Every structure is written in C-alpha cells, then in structure tokens.
Amino acid sequence: MKIFLAFVVTLIWHLQAAAALTIEITEGATGALPIAVVPFGWEGTGNGPGQDIAAIVSSDLSRSGRFKPLPVSDMLAQPHSDAQVEYRDWKVLGMENLVVGRIQPNGSDGYLIRFQLFDVFRGSLLTGYSIPATEGDLRAVAHRIADIVYETLTGSKGAFSTRIAYVASITGADGKKKDTLQVADADGYDPQTIVISSYPLMSPAWSPDGLRLAYVSFDRAKPAIYVQEVFTGKRQQVAAYNGINGAPAWSPDGRQLALTLSKDGNPEIYVLNLHSKGLRRLTDHYAIDTEPSWSPDGRNIVFTSDRGGQPQIYQVSSSGGQAQRMTFEGSYNARASYSPDGTSLVMVTRQGSDYRIGLLELGPRRSQLLSTGKLDESPSFAPNGDMIIYATKSRGKHELAAVSLDGRVRQRLTLPGGGDVREPAWSPYTRYNRSN
Amino acid sequence: MKICSSRKAAVIIVALTLAGCSTTGGKTGADGAPVKEMGEGGLTAASAATMGGDWRGNPLDNPDSPLSTRTIFFDFDESQIREDFRDVVIAHGQYLAANPTVNVTVEGHADERGSREYNIALGERRANTVRNLMLAQGAASNQIKTISYGEERPLAIGSDEHSLSQNRRAELLY
C-alpha cells in the first residue's frame, strides 16, 4: 500500500508546457462562406489585451473549412460597433457576413468584450454578446465567439472550445525515448504534458464531462488503466489485473468504464462501475474481444472481435446478451466508435494493403472511406460530429490528420521537428470555465 | 527467402542479447538494439537446433543450442507457431521442465498495421501460444509469465515487409 501511494504521489504532475501542434489545412471546401472578422477595438488606455481576439476567431473559422475569412489588409474600413458599420463596404468585397467587436477595461485587470455578427446582404444584425474576461481567458472567449458565429451561420454547434488529447514521443533529458500524454486546445495551442513515462502510454479516453482522462500505462512493465483529473493531475489506478488491461471507454453518464481484460484467459469486454468498483463481464468468447465503445444513449457497446476469423465490429447490449455482427464488408474492421448523434460508426478498415478510416452509416447501410493513408488509425469524432481526427503515418513519421464528415476539408497536425504523435482523442463539450 | 532472413536476424538478436546481459538479468538488450549484419558465418535457428555441442556452462548461454534463439517470429495476423520455430519453443519448454526454479517472461508483439488495442490482444495471443507449447513440454505455469506490448515496442522501425516481419514476434526473457 505504501508503495502504491508513493507511486501516485510521484505521478502528480504539474502541468508542463510542451511543443505545440501545427495545424495546416490541406484541403478546403469549395464554397466556403466569405466572412470578415474586423480586428476588435480597444477602448482603454495602455496596450490592452495580449491576444488578438479577431485573429483567433478568424483562424478557428478558417480551420473548419466552412468559412473563408477576409484578410485584414483587404478591408476598406474597420468598424467596432453597429453604428460604424456601412454594409456597402462589405458588399463590394463579396462578404456575406461580418463580425465586429470592442474590448473595454472591466475592473482592475479584467475586460469586457462585446461583439456583433451581421448578415451583410440583408443588412441586419444576427446576434450580439457581451462577455467578461480576464487576461488568461482571452483565447477561451475568442473560441466561444467562433462557436457562436459558427452555430448561428451553419446551424451546427461549434467545437472550437474543445480540446484534444494525444500521445507524443519525446526524447527525455537522459536521451531516452519517452511517451507523453498531452492535452491541447482544439487549435493546437497551449499543449500541456499530463503524464510522462518510459513505458508505453495508450488509449486516452475523455470522461463525458471533459475533466478526466482514462488511459493505459505500462509503468513497471505491466499494463494498468488509470483515471486522471486533467487539471489537478490527481490519478487513480482502476484496473491492474493479470494480463491485458486496455481500451477504456466511458459510459455516456460517466459512471462506468467499459474495458478489455484478459484475466480470465483471453481478452473479453467488461464494465467497471467507477463508484462501487463492481466489475461485470459482458462478452464470453474464446476469440479476441476488445476496443469497446458506447452508443450515445448508453444502451449498446460496439467492440472488435475476430470470432468470425477476422477482426470485425460487433455490438452487444450494455446489459449483456448476444453479440450481433455489425460489419460485413472487408477483411479487417476494428476500433469502431459511434458518431455523437448515434447514426454512424467510424472505424479502421482495411482496403487492399492499406488501413484507412471508414464511416458506416447505420440507417440504410452505406459505407464510405474518409482517409487516404496507408496506416490510418485511432479515429475520434469532434463532439459536434462535423470532423474526425485520426492518426496517420506520413514519410515514416506518426502524425495526426482531421477530415470533415463529407471528406471535403482535410487538416494535417504535426509537431515541430517531426516528433511522433498518435492516438488523438477529441474532448466532449465541457462545462467548466478555465481560469488561471 | 524472407524466412531465412528472419531466422538469421533472430540468431543475431540473440547473440546481441547474450553479449549484453547475464542469464539471470531481467531485461535483455534486444529492444531497440541495432541489428548488425553477421555475414555468412552466422548460425541459423535450424542448424543450431541440430548441433549438440560440448558446452559446460549454463545451457542458455550455449550459442549452439536452440535455447540461444529467444525471438520467435510470426506470420501476419497469425499466432500459430511456425514450423521453423517449433523446435526452439519445445527446447525452451523442456529446459524449463528440467529446471523448475528457472522463470521466463514471454513478451508478445505485433506489427504496426491495424488498430493498437487489437494488436495488444494479438501480441498476447502470440505469447500464449508460445507459453502453451512450453507447458505441453512439462514446464509449470508459474514459471512462465506473459505480457503483450502490441505494436508499442517495435524491433525494426520502418513500414516495409521486412521491418513488419521483424516486429511480429514473441521474445523470451529469462
């Protein structure tokens, strides 16, 4: 017990800054909406806020592939409120929408950020908000503004205020390769190392409240599943049985973890109640059963099994029972997860000698390939279901990529110097407010 | 041809392992050790299996014994022990049966293709087939521990078939 406690203490990490991912749009949607986001006006004295809010909003909108922001240098005017807006200045540039804003001092070290979104062709105000912020909040507020603009104009909720977790390999101070579990904003900014280990780290999975990550760590050459609070670093070992302890997946209510254990002889899916610590076995087959993932309504769990001779996707009720085969096309389908609306499954699928990301629509069955690589894996849906982030290998390096559900927008996410990065997990929407 | 080169590499890896650690040590130097070309003089697993030799030390240290082969390679998505490695595994099982105080850890590994957690399961299945064949020779279950690293600890970096074949393996760590 003493040893266990000491171990926990040494692994409470202060968040460490790490190298940031660079996100590059490799394919944008034709027909992206032209929008102008005017630099926000500063109405106080001194230098004002340390972040360019409008630039962050522009970059978020541009990255989605659904918008084409106007370069600031092409703007004919820079209004900061509705009273200053002349619609013809924007019509002539072909803009459909316009965002303006201003920042005022608020208290001793705070700000009040007001912004407005206009429909240029109708000549009307669509929405406006006033948001208080501290210096440390400014990026988060900018992402919220981008979320509001995105939702107002596309009808789909924005995912700019979310985060991504991923495993990156680094070379430690001792010259040895180490695995790190990192968490960054969805735009790659502000990466924090939350776990560092000389042994493999695997399978990060966000809790539905976005406050905790479950993951597999091979510390002391034995795999175990941990649940760690992202902000405090406090972590708890939840499974360390003989054999495999892998593939943790949160139930939608955050109370249970589905996981893979081979303690009873071969890999089976179990459900662990995080409060009572009760363990329930869900599958019973001599084949490999692994990679569980819950349906959004919590009723079903999909998993990978080679009970038919090759890995395919099966589904079982989360209360147990007969498993049902879900995939029939192709010789290799693995690591499926549901889209947030539950209408489709994303998975790794083999095409000839290539492993790609495939989407299977569950209504009238229809499958499509979303990626074009040779070794694509670990797909993870954005919480709005508009994009999927996944791991790929390009020119011998592990990097990340993202693709829109319609395949029209593609991004490449790389670490500076070509460091290896893999196993991305897109966070859910979070209710917390980050504050420093 | 592929099989031959795998065999040769297995022996080379074992040679490096033997050079790098004592037989009672926990970790071998196999992980990530640079694989050097040994040339025509290198032994193959098959020739090692047929050579008795006149060794007086620990049989694990005898380079002429099949026990000196400690890496068993597998075909893609397969966990059956290939014919060319059966004698090696049987020799290890017999050695364990004859030496009940000796313990071994069997590490299962997979190549990088496909999903990571499925590869963990595949690596475990490979480690278990090795373990089961050793148990069939009379080794006791408490002598053999297994662990799977899936594709997390590749021996060869690269996506060509040769690298992939080097990574589909079980390693015996005495």
Side-chain angles (χ1 to χ4, degrees):
Chain A
M1 198 57 208
K2 230 182 213 168
I3 292 163
F4 175 73
L5 279 177
F7 187 55
V8 168
V9 171
T10 56
L11 275 144
I12 295 174
W13 287 92
H14 290 289
L15 299 183
Q16 292 177 10
L21 285 168
T22 304
I23 304 182
E24 168 196 343
I25 299 165
T26 50
E27 227 174 294
T30 46
L33 284 173
I35 189 169
V37 185
V38 180
F40 285 19
W42 166 237
E43 299 186 340
T45 53
N47 289 335
Q51 298 284 346
D52 183 343
I53 302 278
I56 298 166
V57 174
S58 260
S59 148
D60 280 351
L61 294 173
S62 166
R63 209 162 10 86
S64 76
R66 312 265 299 252
F67 293 91
K68 196 174 173 230
L70 180 73
V72 174
S73 55
D74 291 353
M75 293 177 184
L76 302 174
Q78 295 203 1
H80 298 134
S81 69
D82 53 346
Q84 299 168 347
V85 170
E86 296 285 354
Y87 290 113
R88 64 168 186 273
D89 289 346
W90 307 100
K91 267 184 200 161
V92 75
L93 293 168
M95 293 299 105
E96 292 188 21
N97 295 100
L98 170 69
V99 176
V100 306
R102 56 206 159 107
I103 306 166
Q104 294 171 322
N106 188 23
S108 56
D109 57 353
Y111 302 106
L112 191 64
I113 298 159
R114 298 170 202 264
F115 82 95
Q116 292 168 305
L117 169 65
F118 302 93
D119 180 323
V120 170
F121 279 85
R122 293 214 180 95
S124 62
L125 174 68
L126 292 174
T127 192
Y129 281 81
S130 156
I131 307 171
T134 61
E135 189 69 41
D137 278 344
L138 288 169
R139 289 194 73 90
V141 169
H143 294 314
R144 257 181 80 193
I145 294 171
D147 282 337
I148 294 166
V149 171
Y150 187 88
E151 185 166 3
T152 307
L153 298 178
T154 68
S156 174
K157 213 170 161 183
F160 304 117
S161 300
T162 56
R163 311 178 87 194
I164 45 175
Y166 48 89
V167 177
S169 295
I170 60 159
T171 305
D174 53 1
K176 288 189 179 138
K177 189 185 151 251
K178 294 197 175 3
D179 271 0
T180 63
L181 178 56
Q182 302 193 11
V183 171
D185 291 351
D187 59 357
Y189 190 85
D190 196 21
Q192 307 285 339
T193 299
I194 70 159
V195 188
I196 183 163
S197 174
S198 302
Y199 292 97
L201 292 172
M202 286 181 72
S203 305
W206 289 94
S207 62
D209 61 9
L211 293 174
R212 290 163 292 166
L213 278 168
Y215 58 89
V216 177
S217 171
F218 277 71
D219 290 329
R220 295 181 296 178
K222 206 178 152 351
I225 299 174
Y226 293 87
V227 168
Q228 180 163 332
E229 291 178 15
V230 172
F231 291 103
T232 64
K234 217 159 94 184
R235 79 171 195 170
Q236 196 189 358
Q237 193 181 62
V238 298
Y241 296 93
N242 277 332
I244 294 172
N245 295 269
W250 297 82
S251 63
D253 65 7
R255 292 181 184 161
Q256 304 179 90
L257 270 187
L259 34 85
T260 302
L261 303 174
S262 63
K263 67 185 183 71
D264 296 326
N266 73 309
E268 303 283 1
I269 312 293
Y270 293 76
V271 174
L272 171 70
N273 183 310
L274 288 168
H275 297 280
S276 71
K277 311 290 176 206
L279 194 62
R280 186 159 57 85
R281 182 162 164 177
L282 211 56
T283 61
D284 187 359
H285 200 284
Y286 57 82
I288 290 172
D289 292 334
T290 188
E291 300 174 333
S293 178
W294 300 71
S295 62
D297 63 10
R299 284 187 195 162
N300 295 301
I301 288 176
V302 289
F303 61 97
T304 309
S305 177
D306 73 341
R307 56 184 66 189
Q310 297 160 325
Q312 296 289 347
I313 307 303
Y314 291 76
Q315 178 169 277
V316 65
S317 161
S318 52
S319 55
Q322 277 292 322
Q324 221 190 332
R325 186 165 164 178
M326 301 287 280
T327 51
F328 296 92
E329 278 177 49
S331 61
Y332 189 111
N333 291 295
R335 201 188 188 274
S337 57
Y338 274 95
S339 60
D341 66 3
T343 62
S344 56
L345 289 173
V346 69
M347 63 189 75
V348 176
T349 187
R350 186 177 181 182
Q351 291 290 314
S353 60
D354 298 339
Y355 292 78
R356 294 191 172 156
I357 307 304
L359 187 77
L360 174 66
E361 288 173 29
L362 296 172
R365 293 286 171 116
R366 208 171 69 90
S367 54
Q368 75 185 94
L369 283 178
L370 290 176
S371 73
T372 55
K374 290 186 77 66
L375 282 166
D376 300 339
E377 61 182 16
S378 309
S380 171
F381 264 104
N384 62 2
D386 283 1
M387 291 205 97
I388 289 157
I389 192 167
Y390 60 94
T392 186
K393 201 173 180 187
S394 171
R395 279 153 285 162
K397 283 288 177 190
H398 293 276
E399 55 186 47
L400 306 183
V403 59
S404 61
L405 210 55
D406 59 12
R408 286 160 63 192
V409 181
R410 292 180 189 278
Q411 301 169 1
R412 187 168 163 241
L413 300 88
T414 50
L415 283 176
D420 273 353
V421 54
R422 57 188 189 271
E423 297 212 78
W426 208 315
S427 85
Y429 295 119
T430 47
R431 288 186 290 271
Y432 62 85
N433 270 319
R434 277 173 85 198
S435 53
N436 293 354
Chain B
M1 217 42 230
K2 250 179 238 159
I3 290 165
C4 284
S5 60
S6 296
R7 267 186 202 160
K8 192 190 268 181
V11 172
I12 292 163
I13 289 154
V14 167
L16 288 169
T17 304
L18 289 172
C21 69
S22 77
T23 53
T24 48
K27 292 294 289 177
T28 76
D31 266 0
V35 176
K36 283 180 190 151
E37 196 54 61
M38 244 179 142
E40 288 306 304
L43 292 165
T44 66
S47 69
T50 54
M51 287 168 70
D54 185 23
W55 190 263
R56 285 168 197 281
N58 187 325
L60 283 174
D61 294 337
N62 181 356
D64 295 340
S65 158
L67 294 176
S68 66
T69 296
R70 311 272 175 83
T71 305
I72 293 122
F73 294 101
F74 292 85
D75 289 334
F76 173 65
D77 203 20
E78 277 296 336
S79 51
Q80 287 311 304
I81 292 164
R82 292 191 334 219
E83 272 311 308
D84 51 332
F85 284 103
R86 262 188 85 79
D87 290 346
V88 169
V89 178
I90 287 170
H92 281 283
Q94 289 167 346
Y95 172 73
L96 287 169
N99 298 276
T101 57
V102 174
N103 296 324
V104 69
T105 297
V106 185
E107 270 187 15
H109 299 269
D111 71 32
E112 63 181 346
R113 292 178 290 176
S115 68
R116 287 178 180 267
E117 287 282 2
Y118 182 77
N119 283 337
I120 289 281
L122 190 58
E124 186 189 64
R125 191 189 264 168
R126 286 175 177 155
N128 281 336
T129 55
V130 171
R131 179 176 192 268
N132 289 340
L133 185 53
M134 294 198 299
L135 291 177
Q137 311 313 311
S141 62
N142 62 11
Q143 286 177 279
I144 310 167
K145 270 200 266 184
T146 58
I147 183 173
S148 172
Y149 282 106
E151 63 178 280
E152 308 302 317
R153 292 243 159 141
L155 201 58
I157 306 294
S159 299
D160 55 294
E161 175 47 36
H162 181 70
S163 299
L164 296 177
S165 71
Q166 292 299 291
N167 294 333
R168 296 188 297 264
R169 69 198 195 277
E171 291 186 22
L172 304 180
L173 308 178
Y174 280 96

